[in-house]
Amino acid sequence: MPYDPVRHGAQRIVGPGFHEQVFALVRLIPRGRVSTYGDVGTQLGSVRVARHVGYALAALPARRGRKPVPWHRVVNSRGRLSFPLGDPRADEQRAALAREGVIVDELGRVAEFARRRHRFAKP
DNA sequence: GGTTTGACCATAA
DNA sequence: CTTATGGCCAAAC
């Protein structure tokens, strides 16, 4: 179903401060589990903002205050890393996940993705 | 205030 | 499995 602003009305899914909301949600993903850009977006109101979840994480400062944002626990909807292997960020993400017992294979796929996928509690 | 920028997603072929 | 396409929208410039 295509999104039709005329039929559905112009809706404000998220607003300013979106990035901060993304960071807060990503911090809720437990060790050893993963989530997806789409799931985080859905939690914030719509899967349509999935891209911006990625943009928010891309804009993540090296350190946010005292609580680090576990950006490495966010993968795409097909259970794969969003960078090609060889990209330093992919290596960093894979290493960080491995440290938590999450195996990422040579093709960038998260082992047991369905089982490790975190479901956010319904608000 | 328009334009560009993307760590995405669902579908279809 | 792959590629292509259209959709989405906050930020930064």
Side-chain angles (χ1 to χ4, degrees), chain A residues 56 58 61-62 66 69 71 74 78 114 116 121:
Chain A
R66 51 194 67 213
V69 177
W71 60 269
V74 184
R78 303 196 293 271
R116 293 191 179 275

Side-chain angles (χ1 to χ4, degrees), chain A residues 104-117:
Chain A
V104 176
D105 72 16
E106 60 283 353
L107 295 177
R109 297 180 299 208
V110 172
E112 299 287 345
F113 170 60
R115 198 174 67 79
R116 293 191 179 275
R117 190 173 188 169

Side-chain angles (χ1 to χ4, degrees), chain A residues 59-64 68:
Chain A
L60 199 57
R63 276 205 168 66
R64 304 217 83 245

Side-chain angles (χ1 to χ4, degrees), chain A residues 95-108:
Chain A
L97 285 172
R99 226 172 289 136
E100 307 182 348
V102 178
I103 305 304
V104 176
D105 72 16
E106 60 283 353
L107 295 177

Side-chain angles (χ1 to χ4, degrees), chain A residues 17-98:
Chain A
F18 176 79
H19 283 197
E20 287 301 324
Q21 297 180 58
V22 169
F23 301 151
L25 265 174
V26 170
R27 278 195 274 254
L28 298 180
I29 307 170
R31 268 184 70 89
R33 311 291 300 283
V34 298
S35 188
T36 73
Y37 301 96
D39 283 353
V40 172
T42 296
Q43 198 64 197
L44 290 179
S46 171
V47 69
R48 295 191 219 112
V49 301
R51 301 184 81 175
H52 288 278
V53 173
Y55 306 152
L57 297 182
L60 199 57
R63 276 205 168 66
R64 304 217 83 245
R66 51 194 67 213
K67 269 191 186 175
V69 177
W71 60 269
H72 58 277
R73 297 183 188 143
V74 184
V75 300
N76 70 24
S77 67
R78 303 196 293 271
R80 306 192 48 169
L81 307 190
S82 269
F83 330 89
L85 287 166
D87 184 311
R89 293 172 296 181
D91 295 337
E92 185 183 351
Q93 184 170 14
R94 182 150 85 142
L97 285 172

